[in-house]
Amino acid sequence: MSIGRPVLFLPGTLCDERIFMPMWKHMNINQRRFVPLQWASSLEDMLALTSDRVLSDEKVHVVGYSMGGFIAAKWASLHAEHVASLTLIGYDGYGLSADEIARRKQMVSLLKNGTFRLDNPQYLSRFVHPTQQQNEDVVGVVQGMGEDLGKNTLLAHTQATTPRENMVNTLAQLALPTGIIAAKDDSIAMYNQLMKMADNIPTATRYTVNNSGHMLPLEQPAQLAELVTSFISA
């Protein structure tokens, strides 16, 4: 199925185009646009990079993954007239939990001290499903993005998007067609939280991805491509 309207993709923390490439192979998009959030050092930069990829007289489908979901929701709240639909993948619109904020503060401190390792198996295991942790197409890509983008990008992304305000009421009031895609075994954006978010957004359509952790664009790219295509083509 060919998608005629432009589709704007926003990546997660410490991610670049590689996060979406496996699912793009399963999609037929006439105008695919990527927002290079890896270039940004502030929330304002992220929103500006998004605006730069949308023309003044058009509407686009906006697809945000994880941190990119937060930026997608923020941008949509400011530019709803340019949004045909909003797809949020692995993003909890209720914001970050107290535990996650504390974890991020500790990570920022370690990054600044130069003692945080991006290839730490414990760090990676939080993001990848146990059945995928030997899959080079998943773990290898995650590690490659981390090595290439580096600690400074992780630090900038973390500081620019911590804390995150609750966007659920805002999304409910926007009344945009909103697809919420949740991985059943995601330990970052918890499945029950995302289903609760869907319950509180009247225009939301919910989708579940099985056998995946937080890195679902890499772990289940074909299934994710099918779900996104189905939603934005409806």
Side-chain angles (χ1 to χ4, degrees), residues 79-90:
H79 305 281
E81 71 278 9
H82 291 298
V83 182
S85 72
L86 180 63
T87 303
L88 304 172
I89 305 166

Side-chain angles (χ1 to χ4, degrees), residues 131-144 147 218:
T131 62
Q132 298 279 2
Q133 289 182 17
Q134 302 303 315
N135 185 346
E136 189 63 20
D137 291 336
V138 177
V139 175
V141 174
V142 175
Q143 290 176 326
E147 290 170 5
L218 297 175

Side-chain angles (χ1 to χ4, degrees), residues 6 8 33 35 48-62 75 79 81-83:
L8 200 63
R33 302 178 191 173
V35 183
L49 283 167
T50 307
S51 292
D52 285 348
R53 278 144 186 84
V54 181
L55 302 178
S56 61
D57 60 347
E58 68 179 354
K59 282 193 172 187
V60 300
H61 296 294
V62 183
W75 188 84
H79 305 281
E81 71 278 9
H82 291 298
V83 182

Side-chain angles (χ1 to χ4, degrees), residues 120-173:
N120 184 323
Q122 245 184 340
Y123 173 73
L124 287 171
S125 68
R126 290 189 65 224
F127 295 90
V128 179
H129 193 272
T131 62
Q132 298 279 2
Q133 289 182 17
Q134 302 303 315
N135 185 346
E136 189 63 20
D137 291 336
V138 177
V139 175
V141 174
V142 175
Q143 290 176 326
M145 290 189 296
E147 290 170 5
D148 293 344
L149 300 179
K151 294 180 180 180
N152 287 338
T153 301
L154 178 57
L155 184 60
H157 281 181
T158 303
Q159 292 181 311
T161 62
T162 306
R164 299 176 188 175
E165 70 266 36
N166 185 330
M167 294 294 297
V168 177
N169 288 339
T170 299
L171 292 173
Q173 292 168 12

